[in-house]
Amino acid sequence: MKKWKIIKETDVSPSKWFPVLQHTVELPNGTIIDDYFISPLGNVAMILPITSKNEIVLVKQYKHALGEIVIELPAGLQQKGMSLEETAVAELEEEVGIKTTMDNMMFLGKTANNPTKTDHVTYCYLAKDLEFNSKQNTDITEEIEIIKVSPKEALDMVKKGKIWVADSVVNIVRLFFQFPEIFK
């Protein structure tokens, strides 16, 4: 199996907020495709926060592309000039009102949500023994309700479809497999 060769790349983005690239590619068998579109949305830093009372902190908010109110883990696009870890720390404080340090974070894993059409990869970090020690500082487009549940309740919410955003589902389940003791 071989990677495709990019022959030409054209930026056809409708706006700076939604990048779209048109690729002309050569497949390994020599076939040329001149209208393969991708969206280089960039990486997302997600944090799976657990309080000192062993509660998972979730956020509930409206997501316009879905037209739905969803429950998920705090996350955000990687901020310019910041590492993924720094972005995760910043998003936790911004969305939830919890300050922590990079020393308190552990990489859980990465998830590609739609690798056919986007380069969007979510990198998730676990942070434990947290306290609400700051205040939310959300963007104008964010109205966020904080939800605190036990790890068992979070897993049950995934099982019942109350948490259905892919990267949040994956990382709650990943936590269960990597750290089953948290769920006891």
Side-chain angles (χ1 to χ4, degrees):
M1 188 173 298
K2 295 181 181 176
K3 294 181 178 183
W4 298 358
K5 180 181 176 186
I6 299 172
I7 298 170
K8 181 180 175 187
E9 179 178 88
T10 306
D11 187 338
V12 294
S13 303
S15 81
K16 68 178 183 176
W17 303 111
F18 195 80
V20 178
L21 301 176
Q22 180 179 359
H23 282 177
T24 300
V25 296
E26 181 180 348
L27 304 182
N29 66 7
T31 302
I32 304 290
I33 298 174
D34 65 358
D35 66 344
Y36 199 91
F37 293 87
I38 65 165
S39 183
L41 296 174
N43 296 323
V44 169
M46 176 174 275
I47 192 154
L48 200 158
I50 301 179
T51 68
S52 60
K53 296 177 183 175
N54 199 39
E55 299 166 313
I56 292 179
V57 181
L58 302 164
V59 293
K60 182 177 182 179
Q61 60 185 316
Y62 174 74
K63 295 293 184 168
H64 187 65
L66 293 173
E68 299 275 348
I69 295 170
V70 298
I71 299 170
E72 58 190 341
L73 294 168
L77 283 172
Q78 184 175 8
Q79 296 176 22
K80 202 171 205 112
M82 294 176 81
S83 69
L84 287 160
E85 295 90 347
E86 290 167 332
T87 299
V89 168
E91 288 294 327
L92 181 64
E93 183 174 6
E94 174 191 304
E95 292 189 359
V96 178
I98 294 176
K99 278 187 184 183
T100 192
T101 63
M102 291 183 19
D103 292 341
N104 189 31
M105 295 195 344
M106 183 184 123
F107 181 66
L108 273 182
K110 63 184 180 177
T111 306
N113 292 314
N114 181 1
T116 301
K117 294 293 179 185
T118 73
D119 69 349
H120 176 88
V121 176
T122 300
Y123 293 81
C124 187
Y125 300 88
L126 171 65
K128 295 175 15 180
D129 298 319
L130 300 171
E131 299 287 340
F132 289 88
N133 56 7
S134 187
K135 66 177 195 158
Q136 284 179 298
N137 185 22
T138 57
D139 294 335
I140 192 168
T141 59
E142 295 176 316
E143 179 184 350
I144 296 175
E145 178 184 329
I146 297 167
I147 299 172
K148 299 176 283 183
V149 297
S150 73
K152 282 183 182 179
E153 288 173 298
L155 202 54
D156 193 51
M157 290 171 78
V158 167
K159 183 179 174 182
K160 291 179 178 175
K162 291 180 180 178
I163 298 173
W164 56 278
V165 176
D167 45 11
S168 292
V169 169
V170 166
N171 286 300
I172 291 168
V173 172
R174 183 178 277 145
L175 179 71
F176 175 73
F177 283 115
Q178 289 183 19
F179 299 96
E181 66 278 5
I182 291 174
F183 292 81
K184 292 184 178 168

